[in-house]
Amino acid sequence: MKLTILGCYSATPRTNTNPTSQVLEINNHVFLIDCGEGTQVELRRNKIKFSRIKHIFISHLHGDHYFGLVGLISTFRLLTRETDLHIYGPKGLKEVITLQMKLADSWTNYKLIFHELTSKESELIYEDDKVEVHTIPLDHRIYTNGFLFKEKEGERKLDMNAVLNADIDVSYYRKLKQGFDVVNEKGELIKNETVTKPPINPKSYAFCSDTMYNERIIPIIEHVSLLYHESTFLEKHISLAAPTKHSTAKQAATIAKLANVGKLVLGHYSTRYDDLKAFKTEAESIFNDVELAKDGKTIEIN
C-alpha cells in the first residue's frame, strides 16, 4: 500500500504548492482521493497512469477539493478513455459536473458513474474481494466525508515442511489456506494452525479531510496503519479553528493518540504559514510518529 501526496495545502493553488489531492495504491487499485486544481499536472509529474484511475473519492464540495475534477474528466475524454469511471462524493457533485459538460457539449465517450453520498453515518461504499472503502462522517461547514480504505484479511500461509510431514494431499491445500482443518492420507484430522501460518496483517488508511476536532470518528479509524488528518492551523491560531470548522496540529495528534493509529500525517495547511516545522513539533508533543505531508511525497504503508 502506497500513498502519494499530490497536493496538501488549503484554499488556493500557489507557485509551488497545490490544494488537496492524493493517490492511494492498494491491491492493484489506484484510488484518487480529492481532486483540487492542478491534480492532473501532479499525476503526470508523479508518473501515475491516468488509465489506472477507475475510482475517485471526493470529500466535499469546497473548491480546493474538487475544482480539478471536471478538467480531469475532460482530459480522460480527450485521451479516448473507454473504461468506466466511478466517482463517490456528496449529493450535488453530479449536477455540478454534468452541467459543465452539458454547457460545453463535451459528454464523455466512457461511462461516468456517480455514487452520491448523503448519509451522516459511516457506510460501506466500495468493496471487492480484497478491499473495502467506508465513509468517515466529518464535522465541517458543509456535508463532508473522510474515507477509510481497508485491506481484507488474506489467506493463511502454508508451512510446507509441516504440510509435507503431515502427509496432506495437495487437493486440500486450498482448504488449508482458507483456514479449515483437513484429513490427511492416513485418515487423521490435521488442525489448521499446526500446518499453516497466519496471514499478513491487513493494512488500512484513513483520510480525514476538512473537519473540526471530532472524537466521534475514533471508533471508525481506531488502529489504522496510517491516518491523514487535516491540520489547517497551529495552536496559536486555535481561535480560527472552531468558526471555520478546521483543526490544529495538536488536535489532529490527539485524535491519532486516542485512536491508537500507527502513524499520523498532517496536511491541509493554511497558506499563512511558510515554515511547517512547528506543525510537527506541536503534534509530537501529543503523538510520537508524525510526518508532514508535502506535494510529491510518497509514504509506504506498513
Side-chain angles (χ1 to χ4, degrees), residues 143-155:
Y143 177 74
T144 305
N145 285 299
F147 301 102
L148 172 63
F149 302 85
K150 298 168 58 177
E151 289 181 332
K152 292 185 176 179
E153 189 171 276
E155 294 182 331

PDB file of all heavy atoms in Angstrom, residues 143-155:
ATOM      1  N   TYR A 143     -21.571  19.409   4.232  1.00  0.00           N
ATOM      2  CA  TYR A 143     -21.534  17.938   4.325  1.00  0.00           C
ATOM      3  C   TYR A 143     -20.187  17.414   3.816  1.00  0.00           C
ATOM      4  O   TYR A 143     -19.788  17.684   2.674  1.00  0.00           O
ATOM      5  CB  TYR A 143     -22.676  17.350   3.503  1.00  0.00           C
ATOM      6  CG  TYR A 143     -22.714  15.842   3.461  1.00  0.00           C
ATOM      7  CD1 TYR A 143     -23.138  15.112   4.569  1.00  0.00           C
ATOM      8  CD2 TYR A 143     -22.332  15.159   2.316  1.00  0.00           C
ATOM      9  CE1 TYR A 143     -23.182  13.725   4.533  1.00  0.00           C
ATOM     10  CE2 TYR A 143     -22.378  13.772   2.262  1.00  0.00           C
ATOM     11  CZ  TYR A 143     -22.793  13.057   3.378  1.00  0.00           C
ATOM     12  OH  TYR A 143     -22.825  11.689   3.336  1.00  0.00           O
ATOM     13  N   THR A 144     -19.494  16.653   4.667  1.00  0.00           N
ATOM     14  CA  THR A 144     -18.126  16.213   4.367  1.00  0.00           C
ATOM     15  C   THR A 144     -17.903  14.803   4.879  1.00  0.00           C
ATOM     16  O   THR A 144     -18.321  14.443   5.979  1.00  0.00           O
ATOM     17  CB  THR A 144     -17.096  17.150   5.028  1.00  0.00           C
ATOM     18  OG1 THR A 144     -17.340  18.491   4.615  1.00  0.00           O
ATOM     19  CG2 THR A 144     -15.677  16.767   4.641  1.00  0.00           C
ATOM     20  N   ASN A 145     -17.227  14.009   4.077  1.00  0.00           N
ATOM     21  CA  ASN A 145     -16.803  12.672   4.487  1.00  0.00           C
ATOM     22  C   ASN A 145     -15.305  12.509   4.319  1.00  0.00           C
ATOM     23  O   ASN A 145     -14.719  12.999   3.344  1.00  0.00           O
ATOM     24  CB  ASN A 145     -17.474  11.589   3.631  1.00  0.00           C
ATOM     25  CG  ASN A 145     -18.922  11.369   3.990  1.00  0.00           C
ATOM     26  OD1 ASN A 145     -19.241  11.002   5.114  1.00  0.00           O
ATOM     27  ND2 ASN A 145     -19.811  11.594   3.023  1.00  0.00           N
ATOM     28  N   GLY A 146     -14.697  11.809   5.258  1.00  0.00           N
ATOM     29  CA  GLY A 146     -13.392  11.219   5.014  1.00  0.00           C
ATOM     30  C   GLY A 146     -13.615   9.821   4.467  1.00  0.00           C
ATOM     31  O   GLY A 146     -14.763   9.378   4.283  1.00  0.00           O
ATOM     32  N   PHE A 147     -12.520   9.103   4.217  1.00  0.00           N
ATOM     33  CA  PHE A 147     -12.641   7.760   3.661  1.00  0.00           C
ATOM     34  C   PHE A 147     -11.661   6.812   4.341  1.00  0.00           C
ATOM     35  O   PHE A 147     -10.503   7.160   4.549  1.00  0.00           O
ATOM     36  CB  PHE A 147     -12.389   7.785   2.151  1.00  0.00           C
ATOM     37  CG  PHE A 147     -13.336   8.682   1.399  1.00  0.00           C
ATOM     38  CD1 PHE A 147     -12.933   9.938   0.970  1.00  0.00           C
ATOM     39  CD2 PHE A 147     -14.644   8.285   1.162  1.00  0.00           C
ATOM     40  CE1 PHE A 147     -13.807  10.787   0.305  1.00  0.00           C
ATOM     41  CE2 PHE A 147     -15.528   9.134   0.498  1.00  0.00           C
ATOM     42  CZ  PHE A 147     -15.112  10.375   0.069  1.00  0.00           C
ATOM     43  N   LEU A 148     -12.144   5.623   4.669  1.00  0.00           N
ATOM     44  CA  LEU A 148     -11.325   4.580   5.281  1.00  0.00           C
ATOM     45  C   LEU A 148     -11.133   3.460   4.278  1.00  0.00           C
ATOM     46  O   LEU A 148     -12.106   2.853   3.812  1.00  0.00           O
ATOM     47  CB  LEU A 148     -12.018   4.049   6.542  1.00  0.00           C
ATOM     48  CG  LEU A 148     -11.394   2.819   7.204  1.00  0.00           C
ATOM     49  CD1 LEU A 148      -9.986   3.128   7.696  1.00  0.00           C
ATOM     50  CD2 LEU A 148     -12.271   2.316   8.348  1.00  0.00           C
ATOM     51  N   PHE A 149      -9.882   3.198   3.942  1.00  0.00           N
ATOM     52  CA  PHE A 149      -9.526   2.156   2.981  1.00  0.00           C
ATOM     53  C   PHE A 149      -8.906   0.990   3.756  1.00  0.00           C
ATOM     54  O   PHE A 149      -7.913   1.172   4.458  1.00  0.00           O
ATOM     55  CB  PHE A 149      -8.536   2.692   1.946  1.00  0.00           C
ATOM     56  CG  PHE A 149      -9.042   3.883   1.184  1.00  0.00           C
ATOM     57  CD1 PHE A 149      -8.907   5.171   1.705  1.00  0.00           C
ATOM     58  CD2 PHE A 149      -9.660   3.725  -0.042  1.00  0.00           C
ATOM     59  CE1 PHE A 149      -9.372   6.270   1.016  1.00  0.00           C
ATOM     60  CE2 PHE A 149     -10.134   4.828  -0.747  1.00  0.00           C
ATOM     61  CZ  PHE A 149      -9.989   6.107  -0.214  1.00  0.00           C
ATOM     62  N   LYS A 150      -9.481  -0.202   3.611  1.00  0.00           N
ATOM     63  CA  LYS A 150      -9.032  -1.342   4.394  1.00  0.00           C
ATOM     64  C   LYS A 150      -8.779  -2.551   3.501  1.00  0.00           C
ATOM     65  O   LYS A 150      -9.632  -2.914   2.676  1.00  0.00           O
ATOM     66  CB  LYS A 150     -10.091  -1.725   5.439  1.00  0.00           C
ATOM     67  CG  LYS A 150     -10.409  -0.673   6.457  1.00  0.00           C
ATOM     68  CD  LYS A 150     -11.658  -1.010   7.259  1.00  0.00           C
ATOM     69  CE  LYS A 150     -11.560  -2.340   7.972  1.00  0.00           C
ATOM     70  NZ  LYS A 150     -12.779  -2.595   8.790  1.00  0.00           N
ATOM     71  N   GLU A 151      -7.608  -3.164   3.662  1.00  0.00           N
ATOM     72  CA  GLU A 151      -7.383  -4.468   3.059  1.00  0.00           C
ATOM     73  C   GLU A 151      -8.192  -5.514   3.820  1.00  0.00           C
ATOM     74  O   GLU A 151      -8.292  -5.459   5.045  1.00  0.00           O
ATOM     75  CB  GLU A 151      -5.908  -4.852   3.134  1.00  0.00           C
ATOM     76  CG  GLU A 151      -4.998  -4.060   2.235  1.00  0.00           C
ATOM     77  CD  GLU A 151      -3.554  -4.519   2.346  1.00  0.00           C
ATOM     78  OE1 GLU A 151      -3.162  -5.020   3.421  1.00  0.00           O
ATOM     79  OE2 GLU A 151      -2.814  -4.370   1.364  1.00  0.00           O
ATOM     80  N   LYS A 152      -8.750  -6.471   3.099  1.00  0.00           N
ATOM     81  CA  LYS A 152      -9.368  -7.609   3.757  1.00  0.00           C
ATOM     82  C   LYS A 152      -8.281  -8.594   4.169  1.00  0.00           C
ATOM     83  O   LYS A 152      -7.210  -8.648   3.560  1.00  0.00           O
ATOM     84  CB  LYS A 152     -10.367  -8.290   2.816  1.00  0.00           C
ATOM     85  CG  LYS A 152     -11.587  -7.440   2.508  1.00  0.00           C
ATOM     86  CD  LYS A 152     -12.580  -8.206   1.671  1.00  0.00           C
ATOM     87  CE  LYS A 152     -13.841  -7.393   1.431  1.00  0.00           C
ATOM     88  NZ  LYS A 152     -14.832  -8.104   0.602  1.00  0.00           N
ATOM     89  N   GLU A 153      -8.579  -9.351   5.223  1.00  0.00           N
ATOM     90  CA  GLU A 153      -7.597 -10.335   5.677  1.00  0.00           C
ATOM     91  C   GLU A 153      -7.371 -11.374   4.598  1.00  0.00           C
ATOM     92  O   GLU A 153      -8.320 -11.905   4.007  1.00  0.00           O
ATOM     93  CB  GLU A 153      -8.081 -11.013   6.958  1.00  0.00           C
ATOM     94  CG  GLU A 153      -7.024 -11.886   7.602  1.00  0.00           C
ATOM     95  CD  GLU A 153      -7.423 -12.373   8.971  1.00  0.00           C
ATOM     96  OE1 GLU A 153      -7.220 -11.620   9.952  1.00  0.00           O
ATOM     97  OE2 GLU A 153      -7.958 -13.502   9.065  1.00  0.00           O
ATOM     98  N   GLY A 154      -6.115 -11.662   4.307  1.00  0.00           N
ATOM     99  CA  GLY A 154      -5.774 -12.607   3.256  1.00  0.00           C
ATOM    100  C   GLY A 154      -5.830 -14.050   3.729  1.00  0.00           C
ATOM    101  O   GLY A 154      -6.221 -14.355   4.864  1.00  0.00           O
ATOM    102  N   GLU A 155      -5.440 -14.941   2.864  1.00  0.00           N
ATOM    103  CA  GLU A 155      -5.444 -16.365   3.191  1.00  0.00           C
ATOM    104  C   GLU A 155      -4.273 -16.706   4.112  1.00  0.00           C
ATOM    105  O   GLU A 155      -3.269 -15.999   4.164  1.00  0.00           O
ATOM    106  CB  GLU A 155      -5.345 -17.194   1.910  1.00  0.00           C
ATOM    107  CG  GLU A 155      -6.561 -17.061   1.009  1.00  0.00           C
ATOM    108  CD  GLU A 155      -6.453 -17.938  -0.217  1.00  0.00           C
ATOM    109  OE1 GLU A 155      -5.298 -18.189  -0.659  1.00  0.00           O
ATOM    110  OE2 GLU A 155      -7.486 -18.366  -0.743  1.00  0.00           O
TER     111      GLU A 155
END
